[in-house]
Structure formats: C-alpha cells, structure tokens
Amino acid sequence: MPRLAVNVDHVATLRQARGGCEPDPVAAAHMCELAGARAIIVHLREDRRHIQDRDLALLRATVKTRLHLEMAATPEMGRIALETRPEMVCLVPEKRQELTTEGGLAVYAREDELSRFLAPLHKAGVKASLFIDPDPRQIAAAGRVGAEYIEIHTGAYADAKTPEDKAHEFEKVRGAVALGREHGLSVNVGHGLNYDNIFAFAKIGGIDEYSIGHAIVCRAVFTGLTEAVGAMARIVAGFPD
C-alpha cells in the first residue's frame, strides 16, 4: 500500500513571512501524523528561507513516523544530515532564486560524486533518495549511485495545459516508475500533485510514497477557515460593549 508523506515547508514559509513563531511547522507535522501521514518531509535550504535548523532538530525529536530531509548535496547539508539522522535524505537540485524546486537532479555523469557523498550517510544507516525527472538516462544513473529510492518529479505532468500534454507526461511518469523498479529502486513521486490530478495514479502500481505538501496546506486554509473565524468571532462577541 502506498504511503502519504506530507511536506510542511509551506507552513514554515507562512511563518517566515512575518518573522514570528507561528504557524509552527513542528506542530503542523504532529497534526499531519495524527491525520494519517506516514512520513514528514522538510527541505532545509542553504538560504534557510522557510525551514530552520531549529525546526529540523525539533522534528527529529518529535516525529513518530519517518522524517525525510530534502537537501542539496553540499558538505554543510551532509554534516547536518549525519547529525540529525533522518530516516531518509532526498537529494534535490537547488537554486537561490527559485520559488520551488524547478526540475530533477542531474545524476548522469555525476555517479561517482554522488556515491561518495552518500557513502557516510549509508554507513550511518540513513537511506537515500534522488529527486529526478522521468528520464530513462537519469533513472539508470540513479541505479548506479547506490540510492535505495528515487522520487520521480511529477511537475511537468501537473503543469501540462492540454489533455494531450497531460496524458503524454503521465505516460512518462508511468514508464519511469516501471523502469525504476526494474533497476531495483523503490519509487516515490511528487511535485505539483493535488486533489484533482492525483486520481490518475490509481492506474499505476509500484509507487511506494506520494510526496505532497503545497496542495494540502492550501486545502487546509479553506477547510479550516470557517472554524478559525468562528472561534475568533465568539471570543470578540464575549467582550464588553
């Protein structure tokens, strides 16, 4: 049975917009687990634009399911991952000015470099995933790196504008899942998946985990807004005239 892994980065983004302490992504992670998430994902970026080191430390101490750390393959992040010991790291490309991760990691022709980077993490018992496009060359390269997982980037499928383009991108994802399995890799998928486009994946077997964050946080704004406004209205209504 596939698992849902929830990314709480966007809760941290909302907090950082005001520079305060709420909403707290650590509290959000706890609520996600209670609601059925089987893993919590955070991306500790080099510029710390949303998730902070404090968040990662507290999540490691409190997450009851599995903690997944998305990160760039840099010496700093390797050190932090070894100190934190998440259940899994996912190597992603990272650009300072991007709004969100824009594409898959270039693994082909970097196999030796990435293998060396992952070696101490594997020695410490941390599993590894590579966030890659549904490209056969990248999948084959991932199989040579020694990662246990790949995460297929579903952004092109999610962003496709026409039914024909969406069907084409979906078939690329379907083929990538099957090819990843052939290479002995466990396969996750994520990026841009929401409450509408995810239904197509009921046709695909062999997916271990769905990584979803933005759509869940967006839905929560609306599904929880009535209760939040009502609670504040009742408080204000109780004040003296």
Side-chain angles (χ1 to χ4, degrees), residues 86-236:
E87 276 69 34
M88 185 167 73
V89 298
C90 182
L91 301 187
V92 300
E94 191 171 303
K95 299 176 185 176
R96 289 297 177 98
Q97 301 303 317
E98 65 185 358
L99 291 176
T100 185
T101 305
E102 295 177 349
L105 184 70
V107 181
Y108 181 76
R110 295 179 64 196
E111 291 97 322
D112 289 344
E113 170 198 349
L114 295 174
S115 295
R116 287 193 299 271
F117 181 83
L118 291 176
L121 290 165
H122 280 136
K123 186 176 181 179
V126 178
K127 295 187 183 299
S129 177
L130 305 174
F131 182 71
I132 58 176
D133 292 324
D135 177 344
R137 188 172 68 166
Q138 299 297 340
I139 295 168
R144 296 190 289 270
V145 166
E148 292 86 355
Y149 289 81
I150 54 173
E151 181 177 333
I152 300 301
H153 180 217
T154 52
Y157 161 73
D159 294 339
K161 302 302 182 185
T162 68
E164 294 77 16
D165 287 345
K166 190 168 287 290
H168 174 69
E169 294 298 337
F170 181 76
E171 288 305 317
K172 287 170 63 175
V173 174
R174 187 205 295 269
V177 172
L179 186 58
R181 288 291 188 178
E182 290 176 15
H183 282 280
L185 297 160
S186 297
V187 182
N188 303 333
V189 295
H191 202 86
L193 298 180
N194 60 35
Y195 291 86
D196 295 318
N197 61 27
I198 195 170
F199 282 100
F201 287 82
K203 305 172 186 176
I204 300 182
I207 295 174
D208 287 89
E209 192 169 270
Y210 291 86
S211 171
I212 304 175
H214 186 257
I216 290 174
V217 173
C218 290
R219 173 67 67 95
V221 169
F222 292 106
T223 57
L225 195 58
T226 299
E227 189 280 330
V229 173
M232 185 61 73
R234 289 189 294 272
I235 292 171
V236 171

Side-chain angles (χ1 to χ4, degrees), residues 32-51:
C32 290
E33 288 187 307
L34 290 176
R38 304 313 304 155
I40 299 299
I41 304 170
V42 290
H43 183 176
L44 185 66
R45 283 181 172 266
E46 293 182 88
D47 61 9
R48 306 303 198 270
R49 71 175 66 170
H50 39 61
I51 294 295

